[in-house]
């Protein structure tokens, strides 16, 4: 059990470091959007690459922070009954949700998004827009990476939930 918790702790640390590093992208995104709006409405200047850069930064922010969000239990949850459960029952619900729903779906998403990203890399896919960013394949490669980080965090959470359930440990 101790080895499983050490593994979970290592994954937590990875998610924490990636999440904190990626959080700076939100500041960059704000700067890029404000600059874009300023030039678009102030000087009637706009470029396809700037708008694409905005969604590229958003993609990085969203995909690479999902594991961090999950680690801190800030993901979407329907708490109609869950909040009334004991900590042990909550751990069981979380564990079963991870094993039955989250991990299999993430596995499927990782597989299909990897195929999607590999195709983009083979083609060296770029923007279809004139003046767009040239290396769209790079951002498509982030999709399976972000999903893999989320998968690892779901594994860590499953190990922790199993520990909480099996040791009847009460959450504080």
């Amino acid at each position: 059990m101790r080895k499983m918790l050490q593994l979970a702790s290592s994954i937590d640390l990875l998610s924490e470091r990636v999440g904190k590093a990626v959080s700076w992208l939100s500041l960059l995104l704000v700067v890029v959007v404000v600059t874009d709006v300023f030039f678009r409405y102030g000087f009637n200047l706009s470029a396809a690459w700037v708008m694409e850069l905005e969604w590229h930064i958003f993609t990085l922010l969203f995909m690479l922070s999902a594991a961090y969000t999950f680690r801190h239990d800030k993901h979407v949850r329907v708490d109609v009954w869950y909040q009334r459960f004991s900590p042990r029952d909550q751990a069981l619900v979380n564990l079963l949700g991870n094993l039955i729903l989250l991990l299999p779906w993430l596995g499927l998403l990782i597989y299909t998004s990897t195929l999607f990203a590999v195709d983009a890399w083979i083609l060296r896919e770029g923007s279809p827009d004139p003046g767009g960013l040239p290396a769209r394949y790079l951002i498509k490669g982030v999709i399976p990476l972000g999903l893999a980080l989320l998968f690892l965090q779901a594994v860590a959470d499953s190990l922790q939930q199993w520990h909480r359930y099996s040791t009847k440990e009460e959450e504080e």
Side-chain angles (χ1 to χ4, degrees):
M1 183 65 76
R2 197 174 102 238
K3 292 266 189 211
M4 288 184 355
L5 292 176
Q6 286 175 336
L7 174 62
S9 181
S10 296
I11 295 169
D12 283 347
L13 182 62
L14 174 66
S15 295
E16 195 71 26
R17 287 184 176 166
V18 170
K20 286 188 177 184
V22 168
S23 70
W24 288 99
L25 290 175
S26 59
L27 177 62
L28 177 61
L29 182 58
V30 168
V31 169
V32 171
V33 169
V34 167
T35 304
D36 182 28
V37 168
F38 176 75
F39 280 99
R40 186 179 312 153
Y41 292 104
F43 300 100
N44 202 24
L45 295 173
S46 184
W49 70 268
V50 176
M51 288 184 277
E52 288 186 10
L53 181 61
E54 291 168 3
W55 68 259
H56 278 60
I57 295 169
F58 179 77
T59 300
L60 288 169
L61 184 62
F62 182 81
M63 292 306 302
L64 298 177
S65 64
Y68 178 87
T69 303
F70 185 68
R71 175 181 164 15
H72 289 279
D73 200 26
K74 300 298 181 191
H75 55 286
V76 176
R77 178 193 304 274
V78 179
D79 285 341
V80 176
W81 295 286
Y82 180 86
Q83 63 191 1
R84 296 181 188 155
F85 291 170
S86 71
R88 185 168 188 259
D89 289 341
Q90 287 178 351
L92 180 60
V93 167
N94 292 339
L95 178 62
L96 292 176
N98 288 348
L99 296 177
I100 295 170
L101 299 172
L102 184 58
L103 288 168
W105 276 107
L106 283 173
L108 180 64
L109 288 172
I110 291 167
Y111 174 75
T112 57
S113 68
T114 299
L115 297 176
F116 177 69
V118 166
D119 285 346
W121 276 79
I122 289 170
L123 297 172
R124 295 286 191 220
E125 182 180 348
S127 173
D129 296 323
L133 296 177
R136 183 173 279 183
Y137 61 92
L138 293 174
I139 202 69
K140 288 186 176 182
V142 171
I143 297 169
L145 174 63
L147 291 168
L149 290 170
L150 183 56
F151 185 92
L152 284 174
Q153 189 58 52
V155 168
D157 186 67
S158 297
L159 295 172
Q160 292 161 347
Q161 299 300 338
W162 171 250
H163 179 258
R164 282 189 196 107
Y165 181 75
S166 65
T167 59
K168 300 176 183 164
E169 180 178 300
E170 292 294 315
E171 294 177 0
E172 296 179 26

